[in-house]
């Protein structure tokens, strides 16, 4: 028999711990987000459909991005035991400078569309966290504006760094001039993006009738009703346009096709190499052979990337490529990776399998859309916590201690052996 008694009011009082309500709505919202997926949910609620879909979507059937995320989910970690790591060091040296965390912010075009603070929020949050921020050629804040935002926020022991992403356009002089300006502003690394000879088929943009500048249709007006703050920002801040490119209207894809040169080649790389005084990395590498060739022509590093699945759909999953690229190029060549990173554990797994550094695109943009600068701070904080916790659980105290033995890539999709396929066909 259970022995019962009258409830004791003093005990009851002790149980009732009401927290002081958080009056700052943005902080309350962001504090409740525990993962990047949570930030995505908030972002979707607060951002007009066309802008959210432009960010969240990828090309064709969106298979590349789904596979990339699946590949990270299919990681199996192998922790060491009884190897205490009470303090973990998440800092790295990358491309001649420090970063407090093993990731930086990837270049994203048209960022003020997602939330009006755009690149200024990204650059400020990155500087405050001691990680690099990459400005896109298709940015909506100028090179000089990003530099100013970075300097304003710089704090702590890690000096602020900016990287610049270059598209080589049909009108070469525009690209060369941007390169010179970024160098003059002290950006230390150039990311030369090579996976965009033409735009990928961003079907969500087509279906939404999304254009630059955004246009008001009956649909957008109805969609705007529950998202008044985005529209208030849009209408009360400087015109949303590319900082370095004049626009002629149309979807981002149409604009890319008009501006980009499908004939760029190794000759362009040689020209850019001569113009750029700092480090140069090639972004959008997708085969082992190209990685080796780029190492041999003397670039400072590569980013294994399929552009977040926004270009060639069903392109190789960068995380799958990583171990063989690392083996082929050796230990001394800088290999970075992006596409699909949604969790700090994805970053830890990448470092364990040989990445020197990682880049985040959407993870940062979901934070931006969820709450401007504070949202980006939150996204970085979530990833930092996940990285530190994963390292502690693995029993490693520094990133240098991470090794391939810590990770198995479980694979759902196994390539058909060429010989088997050929004999089956006979
Ligand atoms: C909205 C958006 C815009 C992007 N714009 C550019 C760009 O202008 N230049 C570029 O090199 N990559 C661009 N990217 C690709 C990112 O730099 C990065 O490769 C990709 O976002 C990584 O995948 P993730 O979003 O899953 O992290 C863009 C990505 C997104 C999501």
């Amino acid at each position: 028999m259970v022995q019962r008694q009258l409830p004791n009011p003093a005990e009851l009082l002790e149980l009732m711990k009401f927290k002081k309500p958080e009056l700052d709505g943005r902080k309350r919202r962001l504090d409740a987000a525990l993962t990047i997926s949570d930030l995505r949910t908030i972002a979707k609620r607060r951002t007009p459909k066309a802008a959210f879909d432009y960010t969240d979507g990828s090309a064709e059937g969106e298979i590349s991005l789904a596979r990339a995320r699946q590949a990270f989910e299919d990681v199996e970690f192998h922790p060491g035991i009884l190897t205490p790591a009470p303090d973990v060091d998440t800092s790295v040296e990358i491309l001649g400078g420090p970063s407090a965390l093993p990731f930086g912010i990837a270049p994203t075009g048209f960022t003020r569309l997602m939330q009006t603070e755009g690149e200024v929020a990204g650059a400020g949050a990155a500087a405050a966290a001691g990680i690099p921020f990459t400005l896109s050629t298709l940015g909506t804040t100028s090179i000089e504006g990003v530099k100013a935002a970075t300097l304003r926020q710089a704090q702590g022991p890690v000096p602020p760094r900016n990287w610049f992403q270059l598209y080589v356009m049909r009108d070469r002089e525009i690209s060369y001039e941007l390169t010179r300006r970024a160098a003059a502003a002290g950006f230390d690394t150039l990311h030369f993006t090579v996976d965009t000879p033409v735009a990928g088929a961003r079907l969500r943009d087509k279906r939404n009738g999304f254009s630059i500048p955004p246009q008001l249709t009956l649909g957008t007006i109805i969609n705007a009703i529950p998202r008044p703050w985005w529209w208030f920002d849009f209408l009360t801040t400087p015109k949303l346009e590319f900082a370095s490119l004049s626009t002629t209207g149309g979807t981002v894809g149409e604009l890319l096709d008009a501006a980009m040169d499908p004939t760029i080649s190794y000759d362009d790389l040689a020209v850019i190499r001569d113009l750029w005084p700092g480090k140069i990395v090639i972004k959008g590498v997708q085969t082992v052979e190209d990685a080796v060739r780029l190492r041999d022509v003397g670039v400072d590093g590569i980013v294994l990337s399929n552009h977040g699945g926004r270009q060639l759909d069903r392109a190789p999953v960068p995380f799958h490529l990583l171990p063989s690229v690392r083996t082929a190029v050796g230990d001394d060549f800088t290999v970075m990776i992006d596409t699909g990173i949604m969790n700090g554990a994805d970053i830890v797994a990448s470092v364990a399998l040989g990445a020197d550094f990682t880049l985040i695109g959407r993870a940062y943009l979901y934070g931006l859309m969820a709450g401007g600068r504070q949202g980006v701070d939150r996204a970085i904080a979530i990833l930092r916590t996940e990285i530190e916790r994963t390292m502690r659980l693995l029993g490693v105290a520094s990133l240098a201690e991470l090794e391939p033995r810590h990770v198995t890539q479980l694979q759902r999709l196994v390539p058909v052996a060429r010989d088997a396929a050929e004999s089956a066909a006979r």
Side-chain angles (χ1 to χ4, degrees):
M1 277 293 280
V2 176
Q3 196 189 335
R4 296 197 184 272
Q5 61 184 31
L6 282 174
N8 177 343
E11 265 177 27
L12 200 65
L13 219 62
E14 216 167 273
L15 291 177
M16 292 203 291
K17 295 233 159 65
F18 295 115
K19 273 203 291 189
K20 216 170 94 206
E22 175 58 67
L23 299 179
D24 178 344
R26 182 182 281 206
K27 185 166 183 329
R28 194 172 57 238
R29 205 165 62 235
L30 293 171
D31 285 351
L34 302 181
T35 62
I36 300 295
S37 289
D38 291 344
L39 288 177
R40 179 182 177 277
T41 305
I42 301 169
K44 189 169 183 180
R45 220 168 41 226
R46 299 183 62 81
T47 315
K49 180 170 167 47
F52 180 81
D53 276 351
Y54 165 67
T55 311
D56 189 61
S58 46
E60 314 257 0
E62 309 203 345
I63 295 167
S64 282
L65 181 62
R67 282 186 187 164
R69 288 189 174 155
Q70 188 66 56
F72 282 124
E73 281 174 26
D74 288 346
V75 158
E76 183 180 76
F77 283 116
H78 305 287
I81 52 159
L82 303 176
T83 49
D87 295 313
V88 291
D89 178 4
T90 58
S91 65
V92 279
E93 278 287 306
I94 182 72
L95 295 162
S99 174
L101 294 162
F103 67 89
I105 293 187
T108 59
F110 222 50
T111 309
R112 279 183 46 228
L113 167 79
M114 292 119 199
Q115 202 273 354
T116 195
E117 295 170 47
E119 288 90 356
V120 167
I131 64 173
F133 173 84
T134 317
L135 174 64
S136 161
T137 292
L138 302 180
T140 42
T141 305
S142 69
I143 289 169
E144 295 74 18
V146 163
K147 181 187 179 184
T150 301
L151 292 180
R152 268 200 305 278
Q153 286 302 314
Q155 52 186 249
V158 182
R161 300 176 72 184
N162 284 138
W163 294 347
F164 186 71
Q165 176 267 324
L166 186 73
Y167 279 127
V168 170
M169 289 179 261
R170 288 177 199 268
D171 183 347
R172 295 286 193 276
E173 209 30 63
I174 298 180
S175 302
Y176 299 162
E177 184 49 28
L178 288 172
T179 308
R180 290 188 201 103
R181 267 173 62 195
F187 285 44
D188 67 69
T189 297
L190 191 77
H191 284 247
F192 180 6
T193 299
V194 294
D195 56 15
T196 317
V198 295
R202 320 265 170 88
L203 300 182
R204 292 202 215 181
D205 293 353
K206 281 266 181 213
R207 292 191 176 117
N208 289 330
F210 171 56
S211 66
I212 290 178
Q215 270 159 11
L216 287 179
T217 60
L218 186 63
T220 45
I221 290 168
I222 293 170
N223 187 258
I225 294 167
R227 297 167 174 86
W229 291 114
W230 188 96
W231 286 95
F232 178 73
D233 284 341
F234 178 67
L235 296 170
T236 58
T237 53
K239 191 170 170 222
L240 180 60
E241 58 191 357
F242 293 116
S244 312
L245 211 69
S246 50
T247 56
T248 48
T251 64
V252 175
E254 284 158 0
L255 199 132
L256 274 178
D257 282 341
M260 299 307 147
D261 189 339
T263 68
I264 58 162
S265 69
Y266 274 85
D267 295 341
D268 290 291
L269 175 56
V271 177
I272 301 296
R273 180 69 283 189
D274 283 348
L275 275 178
W276 180 254
K279 305 275 185 192
I280 185 161
V281 304
I282 306 299
K283 175 170 180 285
V285 177
Q286 305 191 55
T287 67
V288 175
E289 295 74 24
D290 282 339
V292 171
R293 180 163 178 200
L294 287 163
R295 180 204 59 186
D296 293 345
V297 300
V299 299
D300 297 292
I302 53 172
V303 185
L304 299 178
S305 167
N306 64 32
H307 211 112
R310 298 163 75 83
Q311 286 298 112
L312 175 66
D313 200 17
R314 291 181 272 184
V317 173
F319 183 60
H320 283 163
L321 267 181
L322 179 62
S324 38
V325 166
R326 174 51 77 204
T327 306
V329 298
D331 287 341
D332 297 334
F333 184 59
T334 299
V335 177
M336 301 186 270
I337 182 171
D338 75 17
T339 301
I341 292 173
M342 289 286 282
N343 190 300
D346 304 344
I347 295 171
V348 171
S350 300
V351 174
L353 290 184
D356 295 296
F357 204 65
T358 61
L359 295 172
I360 54 160
R362 294 182 186 81
Y364 132 71
L365 296 173
Y366 294 142
L368 179 67
M369 292 187 283
R373 163 63 195 272
Q374 287 165 264
V376 185
D377 288 338
R378 183 78 188 130
I380 295 173
I382 287 171
L383 293 171
R384 182 195 292 116
T385 307
E386 289 166 343
I387 290 170
E388 289 176 349
R389 188 172 52 238
T390 307
M391 288 173 69
R392 286 202 174 96
L393 288 169
L394 283 175
V396 299
S398 74
L399 295 168
E401 289 174 33
L402 285 167
E403 290 179 5
R405 71 184 163 86
H406 288 112
V407 172
T408 302
Q409 293 176 301
L410 305 174
Q411 251 187 324
R412 285 160 204 257
L413 302 170
V414 180
V416 174
R418 286 271 156 88
D419 288 352
E422 275 158 19
S423 56
R426 273 197 291 272

